[in-house]
Amino acid sequence: MNMILLNKLNKSGQVVQRIRALKLLAASTTLVMMVFSGQAFAQEPEQGHLVSIEQVKKEQVNPTMWLPANVISRKNAPISAEQTGQLLWVEEVGSQVKQGQLLAQLDDRHLKLQLKRQQAQVNQHQANVDYLRGQKARFATLSEKNNSALSELERVSKDLTVAINEVAALSIEVEQTLLAIEKTAIVAPFSGNVSEQFAHVGELITIGRPLLQLTDTKNLDVSIAAPIAIAPFLTRGQKVMVKWQQQLIQLPIRTWSQAGSQLSRTFEVRLAADNLAIIAGSAVTVSLPKQSPRDAILVPRDALVLRENETYVLTVSDHQAKKVSVLVGQGIERWVSVIGELAANDNVVVRGGERLLDGQKVRFSGELVAAVK
């Protein structure tokens, strides 16, 4: 019994010794890690945070405002009939036509019959004119020999004049009928695309009835209803930014209205959008100048650090960061104008500044390249 108790006591002592050894090893490991961590933390401030920097620049900018706009065609007209008749043929929707190309055809048979009747009347009256001219010549000869009365010559002369005028009037009617026949063939007044069709083959068409809509798809404008206040800052030919389907393009100002709306206090501005692959009727957004050009300090957009209560940039001087609060203004591509304690050619952090604090040391990867683009 005593031997069993002694063995248990020996085993318990060994367990205690092992536990003490494990605790001592853990403490030593912790101490080593703290030493290495201390060295790492001591080295990090000396090395500094790795950042990328660019230079601030000063340029003249035009403060702008973004406005909704629509793409429209300069030539967009309903093509109507100028004669009465049955519609024999009409161009299909979506057809691209050239100026002078046939768009629709009306039945012209009744006009051709009318033309034949009028031409016969002209020939009849022309024969009367020829006869009276012969009579006038004979009476003139007899009158010279005193063989006929002067009154007969005057009567024939009068009848000849009336006959000539009748031929002239009938000839005008013939020209009108020829024009009417020509108008039964409706042709395109300008090159464009058939966007709508209002009549179908077989319908009886009256004068003035719209047949189809023709839209010029090459000569386009961007129409903007702009505030009257910005009118003094517009220049003909000035290029402005247009946002369309996640794309930014530049278009010139072509013209603008010299009168505004009293209700909306806006006036129409048009940009030239010739030969662009934009469908008329598309919605776009346009940036128009709202103030006179002025000098501004520009920083890259990536240099801005946005926080809930402030916006700032981090400048770098002698490998040390400095926080500068700024007010953000107009954006120009990848640059943005700011107001703050900045000057041209100052270096600002564009990468690695999210966790950088005011006064911390920084280091660069490679040589500093001034990004003046």
Side-chain angles (χ1 to χ4, degrees), residues 115-264:
L115 175 64
K116 289 182 178 180
R117 184 178 66 252
Q118 291 172 343
Q119 287 175 338
Q121 291 175 347
V122 169
N123 293 334
Q124 179 182 351
H125 285 77
Q126 183 62 46
N128 191 30
V129 168
D130 295 341
Y131 169 75
L132 291 174
R133 280 177 177 167
Q135 287 291 94
K136 180 180 179 180
R138 285 192 293 270
F139 279 111
T141 303
L142 293 175
S143 178
E144 290 176 356
K145 297 178 180 180
N146 295 321
N147 292 331
S148 70
L150 184 60
S151 60
E152 288 296 323
L153 177 61
E154 292 176 349
R155 181 183 62 80
V156 172
S157 298
K158 175 185 73 68
D159 291 343
L160 177 60
T161 302
V162 171
I164 291 174
N165 289 333
E166 287 179 350
V167 170
L170 289 172
S171 298
I172 292 174
E173 290 182 3
V174 169
E175 293 296 327
Q176 288 178 333
T177 303
L178 288 172
L179 180 60
I181 293 174
E182 180 183 339
K183 294 297 183 181
T184 58
I186 295 93
V187 298
F190 54 85
S191 300
N193 187 274
V194 179
S195 57
E196 290 186 74
Q197 186 178 350
F198 306 124
H200 301 278
V201 173
E203 290 189 55
L204 180 61
I205 306 301
T206 57
I207 296 177
R209 165 80 180 275
L211 301 179
L212 46 80
Q213 188 81 16
L214 185 62
T215 303
D216 186 355
T217 56
K218 300 298 182 183
N219 299 309
L220 302 177
D221 278 344
V222 175
S223 176
I224 313 110
I228 295 178
I230 73 170
F233 310 114
L234 300 182
T235 304
R236 197 178 302 274
Q238 176 184 3
K239 290 190 175 182
V240 297
M241 299 299 298
V242 177
K243 186 184 298 181
W244 173 67
Q245 291 186 351
Q246 308 303 319
Q247 300 180 31
L248 282 177
I249 56 178
Q250 284 189 326
L251 296 177
I253 297 177
R254 188 175 70 86
T255 186
W256 60 86
S257 173
Q258 300 299 320
S261 170
Q262 295 182 353
L263 296 177
S264 62

Side-chain angles (χ1 to χ4, degrees), residues 15-31:
V15 170
V16 171
Q17 289 178 357
R18 289 179 179 178
I19 292 174
R20 289 178 179 175
L22 290 172
K23 289 183 177 179
L24 181 59
L25 179 61
S28 300
T29 303
T30 303
L31 180 60

Side-chain angles (χ1 to χ4, degrees), residues 9 36 62 64 77 100 104 108 111 128 176 183 188 220 229 245 269 273 277 318 334 337 352 370-371:
L9 290 174
F36 280 104
N62 294 321
T64 62
D108 60 355
L111 290 174
N128 191 30
Q176 288 178 333
K183 294 297 183 181
L220 302 177
Q245 291 186 351
V269 180
D318 296 330
R334 74 181 194 92
S337 62

Side-chain angles (χ1 to χ4, degrees), residues 301-322:
R301 292 181 185 271
D302 294 338
L304 297 177
V305 181
L306 307 179
R307 293 293 182 262
E308 184 177 355
N309 297 324
E310 65 174 339
T311 300
Y312 62 90
V313 297
L314 292 161
T315 61
V316 176
S317 178
D318 296 330
H319 290 267
Q320 187 172 5
K322 179 184 178 181

